[in-house]
Amino acid sequence: MSFLSIRNLSAALKGRPEDRILRNVSLNVAAGEVRGLVGESGAGKSMIGKAILGTLPLSVEITGGQIILDGTDLLTLPPAQRRTRIGQICALIPQDPLTALNPSRRIGPQITNRLVDILHWSRADAEKRARDLLAEVHIPDPDRVMRSYPHELSGGMRQRILIASAFAAEPKLIVADEPTTALDVTVQKQILKLIAEMQARHGTAILFVTHDLGVVSKVCQSLSVLYAGKVLEDTTVRDFFAAPGHAYSRALLAATPKYTDPDGSLTPVPDAVIAATRAEVADADRMTHV
Amino acid sequence: MLDGRAQISRPWSPRLILSGAWLAFLVAAALLAPWIAPKDPLAQDLFLGRLPPFWVTGAEPGYYLGTDSLGRDVLSRILHGARLALTVALIAGSLTCIIGATLGLLAGFLRGWVDIAISRMIDIWMAFPPVLFSILLIAVLGPGLTSIIIAIVVIDWTRFARVIRAEAMAQGAMDYVASAQVAGRTRLSTMVTEILPNVLPTIVVLLTLEMGISIIVEAILSFVNLSISTDDPTWGGMIAEGRTSVHQAWWVLVFPLVTLFFTVLSFSQLGEGLKDRYDPVLR
Amino acid sequence: MQLLRTFLLRLATTAVTLFGVAVIVFFVIRVVPGNPIAMMLPPGATEADVAQLTALYGLDKSIPQQFLIWGAGVLQGDFGASITSRQPVLDLVLGRLPATLELSVMALVIAVALGGFMALTGTRLRGSKTEAAIDVGNGVALSVPDFLWGLVLILLFGVLVPVFHISGRVTPSLELPFSTNFYLFESVLRLRFDLWADIVGHMFMPALALAIPLAAIIGQLLKQSLKETMNLDYVTLARTKGYGENHVILSEALPNAILPTLTLVGVQFTFLIGGTVIIERLFSYEGLGNMAIDAVINRDLPLIQGIVILFAVIFTAVNLAVDLCYAALNPRLRHA
């Protein structure tokens, strides 16, 4: 039984059901599994993460489907209960470490607040836990960092802190929303390695949202390819890189620069493939409306 | 999703229609006041003092909104008062706008010592309580329409100068201005052809606001009895009289106050509405 | 270090501003037509009487000379004597200052409470009809100045439903045990809540009239800034930690959204204090502004000078205080 199971999830702009953002999305994440969620920008991959965590923008509403987390359909829970449940068993590694820490608060409380306020740990326990985790993500002098304000730390440092904070409550599922996109290339590799390392140690399931297939090949075991809010392909990483099933996936893979071949020229996804994929999505829409 | 930006149509907003309609009505009333006012606004009749408006018992026919303590017709005085209010709004507003915006443009675009001098002046002006300053100026200049206009211009130019200075600075830092400079234009011509059109929407908004403010200043000065001669119908003067007899004859205060309220509100809403409609930058 | 230098620079420009104000007011009021000395003397006074009194007030000297004499006095804390009441200007002005300060501070408190409430409610219910209604209300409140709100309040709560006093600072028949002119403050210290209620009953409407436009500005600006902050990642992150919407708004977004509002409130607070002049007149409230208008009408030159300078000092002090607050609240500046 999957730990997270999304079934036929649909979402659209509020009041404009024809502007669909997610189209019958289904995907599963087993306990301890790392699943990549790939697609170009605007494909709706971040929206899936937001739908799970309950942080969709006000302009977007869920029009159908289920998000079953640890046996409970989140969408049937009353908002307050749902929020608490998310806070207890899920966590987010956000995209931009520069805006993801509250600028007017010290680092320490930003890591411990969930433990104290939501999980009712004692303050001393929470602080000890935060210190241990900062050491675990290779931050020198955790005590000093806990007393610092975000603007005193570098971007890579802040992303490490956010990773530590995500693992603090031993969540069962982490949504990593393009966690390396905002960082520069050298830092990217370290952070990726760190996430993989932490995942292995804690055995946490991760839904890894990214547009970068190179990243997927490094950290994920399985992946879902998204286009225009529709899942085109759901497969394992090994099968995908051996033989992508969908024409769009193949084009996407061809368009990805290889780490082994940094000077290799980029091939954009051909227009013909895009057109065919669009037609396919439109067809699927028509089917569901009949 | 389709590209929604190009398709956003901007209809006339209700506030633009309402405020425009009220001001148009007011302008018409002011222009036609000598013909449509039912009574002579200066005619006193102590036997007809404090008559209530027409729907209250005790009203006299012909005095629709009642009379003040001297028996003068409230409606006629409001209509004639509109002439003064709108004159002040138009002249004082435009003069303040021209002087303030010019100084602001010069300070913001030329920078250097011009900016330092004008900014210091603005600082000093901002340290004066404006109402007290205007009362002081009227005391110096003596009562009368010209004095009121001078007082408003002298005090309120900073409203324009401050905002336009900041905008001109922001615009001056942009690439298109630099390219105009490189093309060999003089600084002054760059200012007029490149900067001015871009700050014009702001100037228009400030101008409509300033017109409303001018009317208020005139009313305040009439209220402290420093505006025009006491007999002439002014909204502020009527309000001052209404305030003293508010317990005996509320209508003397209410009608000029309501007129003033909607006029000031309309000027500022007109400005905001125009900004939404014509600002080149979609907010 | 940086902070100290900015502070000293600000002090210097403040001094220049105050000097400018002093020069302008001094010269402007000396062009006033009407001889204040003649107004003081009973009818039938001789030319010699007028000349003697003119000399006594130093008005026979040239204007630059008068300025130097006055300026030297001011630097030693001597603002001269009022022509109408013949008392020292400083005593008169400081006697009235508490009334105006209490009124301004009360107005500020009302404005912050009202505006803050609007901003928080609007943010909490963003996208709803309530938010739209708050926006319209703020727009109207902002467009109409304090003078008109004062008149509207007089009609509503002084005449239509008479719940508040519309004139004076305190009911004249009451015995006042106060030793300072901070009536409101002292009534609390002396636990005289009967007097406190009477004073608040007098102050509330002028304070509310002053507060309405500022409340609208705070409401608008803080709401906008809160809504922008609510879209930042750290707020989203707090949501995923299990915090409710109220907690997220109040303890994550508010502390950061408040900073841009603060500077603006400072400038607007000086406008509010400037507004006390006409509001005090409107409500016959015995403060500095009311005294200033009387001084202008009576051509009491030394008193006018004193009051204008005091206002300018208050304005610049408020601006300075706001800048310091801003620096103190912003960790980026505090630890720089």
Side-chain angles (χ1 to χ4, degrees):
Chain A
M1 177 63 205
S2 302
F3 180 71
L4 168 75
S5 173
I6 295 177
R7 291 180 194 160
N8 292 322
L9 185 69
S10 289
L13 283 185
K14 194 165 264 174
R16 287 161 63 178
E18 71 281 5
D19 283 331
R20 305 183 69 181
I21 288 167
L22 296 177
R23 300 164 199 259
N24 297 319
V25 169
S26 293
L27 60 86
N28 295 308
V29 181
E33 182 191 11
V34 182
R35 172 172 286 269
L37 203 48
V38 218
E40 52 195 32
S41 58
K45 50 194 194 307
S46 281
M47 287 298 162
I48 295 176
K50 289 186 162 103
I52 299 167
L53 297 173
T55 57
L56 282 173
L58 285 174
S59 53
V60 175
E61 64 184 345
I62 291 174
T63 50
Q66 293 172 305
I67 301 176
I68 298 164
L69 187 69
D70 202 11
T72 321
D73 182 1
L74 288 177
L75 300 179
T76 60
L77 291 180
Q81 246 184 63
R82 176 179 175 191
R83 221 166 32 225
T84 316
R85 196 158 174 76
I86 296 282
Q88 285 161 345
I89 57 177
C90 293
L92 168 72
I93 301 177
Q95 175 170 10
D96 185 359
L98 298 183
T99 61
L101 288 165
N102 189 329
S104 65
R105 214 180 271 184
R106 292 173 200 274
I107 298 297
Q110 299 201 48
I111 302 176
T112 57
N113 61 358
R114 181 207 314 248
L115 303 177
V116 174
D117 297 340
I118 308 293
L119 300 165
H120 310 296
W121 290 31
S122 77
R123 190 159 294 280
D125 288 350
E127 272 169 21
K128 181 175 180 311
R129 170 80 174 155
R131 256 192 302 277
D132 293 348
L133 272 162
L134 288 178
E136 227 180 280
V137 295
H138 313 298
I139 284 180
D141 199 357
D143 281 303
R144 189 188 59 79
V145 168
M146 281 177 64
R147 284 192 308 271
S148 308
Y149 282 93
H151 69 270
E152 299 166 328
L153 306 168
S154 70
M157 193 84 134
R158 290 191 224 182
Q159 193 58 297
R160 283 169 192 277
I161 289 165
L162 288 163
I163 291 166
S165 176
F167 282 92
E170 289 294 351
K172 301 285 194 308
L173 173 73
I174 287 178
V175 176
D177 188 0
E178 307 246 16
T180 57
T181 312
L183 302 169
D184 59 58
V185 185
T186 46
V187 184
Q188 263 183 20
K189 283 190 183 165
Q190 296 169 17
I191 293 296
L192 222 49
K193 202 172 139 232
L194 180 66
I195 293 176
E197 182 189 320
M198 292 291 283
Q199 194 273 334
R201 187 176 307 143
H202 295 264
T204 317
I206 297 183
L207 187 62
F208 205 109
V209 178
T210 180
H211 62 273
D212 187 344
L213 283 171
V215 168
V216 171
S217 70
K218 287 212 161 66
V219 291
C220 302
Q221 288 123 43
S222 57
L223 82 166
S224 302
V225 179
L226 229 70
Y227 182 84
K230 185 174 165 42
V231 176
L232 297 180
E233 184 164 10
D234 180 342
T235 175
T236 65
V237 166
R238 184 172 314 165
D239 291 350
F240 182 84
F241 284 95
H246 195 277
Y248 177 77
S249 306
R250 279 193 292 277
L252 200 64
L253 193 55
T256 304
K258 308 281 181 301
Y259 279 96
T260 49
D261 177 22
D263 300 324
S265 60
L266 288 181
T267 347
V269 177
D271 289 345
V273 176
I274 300 263
T277 315
R278 273 201 185 145
E280 185 187 327
V281 170
D283 278 350
D285 275 4
R286 229 165 285 138
M287 302 281 279
T288 52
H289 279 291
V290 171
Chain B
M1 267 174 282
L2 291 165
D3 182 19
R5 227 152 207 279
Q7 299 182 349
I8 291 174
S9 64
R10 287 185 260 175
W12 294 91
S13 59
R15 63 173 172 190
L16 213 49
I17 295 170
L18 286 176
S19 56
W22 171 261
L23 292 175
F25 170 74
L26 202 70
V27 169
L31 289 174
L32 299 175
W35 295 280
I36 59 172
K39 304 281 172 193
D40 177 356
L42 301 177
Q44 301 184 6
D45 187 341
L46 293 180
F47 293 108
L48 294 173
R50 289 184 184 159
L51 291 175
F54 69 90
W55 67 87
V56 180
T57 47
E60 284 283 329
Y63 295 91
Y64 299 103
L65 300 182
T67 61
D68 63 13
S69 57
L70 297 174
R72 295 174 298 193
D73 182 41
V74 169
L75 175 60
S76 305
R77 289 178 72 76
I78 290 178
L79 290 173
H80 280 271
R83 296 168 80 92
L84 179 77
L86 290 175
T87 312
V88 170
L90 210 65
I91 301 178
S94 324
L95 284 178
T96 314
C97 172
I98 292 168
I99 293 172
T102 309
L103 289 174
L105 269 177
L106 288 173
F109 188 64
L110 295 182
R111 315 287 274 268
W113 64 266
V114 180
D115 183 28
I116 292 173
I118 294 176
S119 301
R120 274 301 116 237
M121 289 242 294
I122 294 176
D123 278 353
I124 293 172
W125 252 249
M126 297 287 288
F128 273 103
V131 173
L132 185 54
F133 199 5
S134 62
I135 291 170
L136 209 59
L137 282 175
I138 294 295
V140 174
L141 299 166
L145 183 62
T146 323
S147 309
I148 293 178
I149 290 170
I150 294 175
I152 291 171
V153 175
V154 167
I155 292 162
D156 271 353
W157 65 271
T158 53
R159 279 178 201 276
F160 288 85
R162 269 189 308 149
V163 179
I164 300 300
R165 172 180 171 269
E167 287 236 337
M169 264 184 188
Q171 296 285 344
M174 291 193 185
D175 285 345
Y176 72 89
V177 177
S179 55
Q181 291 273 303
V182 174
R185 309 267 294 281
T186 67
R187 289 175 69 69
L188 229 50
S189 97
T190 314
M191 186 179 99
V192 174
T193 58
E194 305 293 325
I195 307 275
L196 185 61
N198 284 294
V199 296
L200 211 53
T202 314
I203 292 182
V204 171
V205 174
L206 287 175
L207 175 62
T208 53
L209 284 177
E210 185 60 37
M211 289 183 169
I213 291 166
S214 304
I215 292 184
I216 285 287
V217 172
E218 188 276 316
I220 287 176
L221 291 171
S222 307
F223 182 80
V224 293
N225 216 348
L226 282 168
S227 164
I228 314 285
S229 77
T230 34
D231 278 346
D232 280 336
T234 63
W235 294 348
M238 297 178 76
I239 287 171
E241 213 231 303
R243 165 75 175 92
T244 56
S245 60
V246 66
H247 290 288
Q248 297 85 33
W250 53 265
W251 53 90
V252 184
L253 176 57
V254 169
F255 296 120
L257 176 59
V258 168
T259 318
L260 185 54
F261 191 96
F262 282 118
T263 308
V264 171
L265 188 61
S266 296
F267 270 118
S268 86
Q269 294 302 311
L270 184 72
E272 293 291 322
L274 288 177
K275 182 175 77 182
D276 287 353
R277 197 174 159 76
Y278 293 112
D279 200 334
V281 187
L282 252 181
R283 288 170 202 253
Chain C
M1 226 34 237
Q2 180 66 38
L3 212 60
L4 188 70
R5 235 183 43 211
T6 334
F7 179 71
L8 290 177
L9 199 72
R10 279 295 309 269
L11 270 188
T13 50
T14 302
V16 174
T17 304
L18 289 179
F19 181 76
V21 168
V23 172
I24 290 176
V25 67
F26 198 89
F27 288 92
V28 162
I29 59 176
R30 268 160 183 71
V31 202
V32 180
N35 183 348
I37 301 298
M39 284 168 72
M40 289 169 67
L41 289 166
T46 62
E47 289 283 316
D49 291 337
V50 174
Q52 194 199 348
L53 212 55
T54 309
L56 183 67
Y57 282 97
L59 297 176
D60 53 343
K61 300 195 173 61
S62 74
I63 293 179
Q65 254 178 325
Q66 289 183 37
F67 184 74
L68 286 179
I69 294 169
W70 178 75
V74 166
L75 291 179
Q76 296 160 30
D78 175 14
F79 283 78
S82 154
I83 295 180
T84 9
S85 72
R86 309 191 187 193
Q87 284 171 293
V89 166
L90 198 62
D91 293 357
L92 288 172
V93 166
L94 292 183
R96 285 293 186 97
L97 180 63
T100 299
L101 281 185
E102 284 191 342
L103 182 63
S104 309
V105 171
M106 187 166 177
L108 180 66
V109 170
I110 295 174
V112 169
L114 218 60
F117 178 76
M118 292 291 175
L120 291 171
T121 315
T123 310
R124 182 70 180 79
L125 304 172
R126 55 193 179 286
S128 71
K129 289 237 163 57
T130 314
E131 194 205 355
I134 286 177
D135 285 346
V136 171
N138 276 345
V140 173
L142 198 63
S143 313
V144 176
D146 44 17
F147 175 64
L148 286 188
W149 287 121
L151 288 161
V152 170
L153 291 175
I154 286 179
L155 277 172
L156 291 181
F157 302 112
V159 180
L160 203 61
V161 195
V163 281
F164 293 105
H165 299 278
I166 59 171
S167 104
R169 190 180 178 200
V170 65
T171 307
S173 55
L174 288 175
E175 289 266 337
L176 299 178
F178 302 138
S179 50
T180 69
N181 284 337
F182 287 97
Y183 291 177
L184 187 70
F185 187 61
E186 227 187 309
S187 67
V188 176
L189 286 188
R190 287 176 189 269
L191 305 177
R192 289 290 305 272
F193 293 108
D194 53 327
L195 290 178
W196 182 84
D198 184 75
I199 295 163
V200 170
H202 280 86
M203 269 172 86
F204 186 71
M205 292 225 302
L208 186 59
L210 288 165
I212 289 173
L214 180 55
I217 293 174
I218 295 175
Q220 231 172 38
L221 200 79
L222 184 60
K223 181 162 78 76
Q224 187 193 341
S225 154
L226 269 173
K227 283 173 77 174
E228 277 164 20
T229 313
M230 292 299 282
N231 290 329
L232 294 178
D233 281 355
Y234 65 84
V235 173
T236 308
L237 196 60
R239 283 213 187 94
T240 66
K241 287 178 180 175
Y243 288 106
E245 190 71 8
N246 291 341
H247 174 96
V248 167
I249 293 177
L250 290 175
S251 56
E252 297 289 336
L254 188 60
N256 296 297
I258 224 163
L259 277 175
T261 317
L262 188 74
T263 5
L264 188 103
V265 168
V267 181
Q268 294 292 330
F269 184 49
T270 63
F271 293 164
L272 185 152
I273 297 174
T276 58
V277 174
I278 193 66
I279 290 296
E280 286 179 5
R281 192 68 171 184
L282 189 57
F283 288 88
S284 313
Y285 184 88
E286 293 108 15
L288 213 50
N290 212 346
M291 188 182 187
I293 294 180
D294 284 333
V296 174
I297 291 171
N298 295 327
R299 308 278 187 269
D300 193 336
L301 308 187
L303 189 53
I304 299 173
Q305 281 154 212
I307 295 173
V308 172
I309 296 291
L310 185 61
F311 270 117
V313 168
I314 296 174
F315 286 7
T316 44
V318 168
N319 283 329
L320 207 62
V322 169
D323 287 358
L324 290 179
C325 272
Y326 187 86
L329 283 177
N330 191 342
R332 247 169 260 236
L333 290 177
R334 193 168 55 205
H335 294 270

